[in-house]
Amino acid sequence: MSIWPDDIEETARRIVADFSARGLTIATAESCTAGLIAGAITEIAGSSNAFDRGFVTYSNAAKQQMIGVSGETLKAHGAVSRPTALEMAEGALFHSNADISVAVTGIAGPGGGSEEKPVGLVHLAAARKGRETLHREMRYGDIGRGAVRLATVRTALEMLVELSAD
């Protein structure tokens, strides 16, 4: 029995099968999801063939120390921003043996939002060696912490599928 909703489990299963068959590996860099993307992928038997590592970079210090997000980026744009998400994805790729990475940073709520950066705002990025890094800005709304985090996992998995296409 899986802890994941059927759609997330099915997407993770497809990713593990496809990446394993093609010899591709994944790294994750997660802030607001705190490891849930890695958890969804590693729920699947055989995921060790496709999953290299996950970075839980909840604090700004962790983002800087573990995956090399610059202090200047954090100061200028904040943790929840396109530039930070891009640096997270690229840093996860650089600091791992993975071929593809996905990164997320956002405000899951219930508090912590502002007019400029409301609850439910999530920036996602996916990087692959030799390709342009993808970015998605999602505004899920104030739908509840768990719902924001699950929606983020879904979007992150979709981005892995998109970036793995040849």
Side-chain angles (χ1 to χ4, degrees):
M1 179 176 126
S2 175
I3 61 171
W4 297 99
D6 291 344
D7 64 317
I8 289 177
E9 182 179 358
E10 181 54 36
T11 303
R13 190 175 306 286
R14 284 193 340 255
I15 288 169
V16 168
D18 180 56
F19 278 57
S20 296
R22 296 169 58 206
L24 296 173
T25 55
I26 302 161
T28 60
E30 303 182 61
S31 187
C32 64
T33 52
L36 292 175
I37 300 163
I41 295 166
T42 60
E43 179 77 9
I44 307 304
S47 60
S48 60
N49 294 320
F51 189 78
D52 178 57
R53 71 191 73 187
F55 300 94
V56 176
T57 57
Y58 211 72
S59 70
N60 285 350
K63 288 174 183 65
Q64 293 176 280
Q65 294 164 2
M66 295 173 74
I67 54 175
V69 174
S70 77
E72 292 79 24
T73 296
L74 291 167
K75 184 176 180 182
H77 303 282
V80 181
S81 67
R82 176 187 173 124
T84 297
L86 293 171
E87 285 189 26
M88 288 173 67
E90 292 161 3
L93 204 56
F94 181 79
H95 292 282
S96 71
N97 297 315
D99 301 293
I100 298 175
S101 68
V102 67
V104 300
T105 182
I107 304 166
S114 66
E115 190 172 316
E116 181 183 332
K117 294 183 180 184
V119 170
L121 172 65
V122 179
H123 286 273
L124 302 95
R128 182 173 180 177
K129 294 174 182 175
R131 300 238 183 127
E132 184 177 346
T133 301
L134 301 177
H135 170 262
R136 300 282 182 275
E137 178 181 309
M138 304 302 292
R139 293 181 179 262
Y140 300 113
D142 193 355
I143 58 175
R145 186 174 183 81
V148 168
R149 289 164 51 118
L150 279 177
T152 302
V153 170
R154 283 183 181 96
T155 304
L157 294 177
E158 291 165 6
M159 290 177 77
L160 285 171
V161 170
E162 181 179 345
L163 202 55
S164 71
D166 283 331

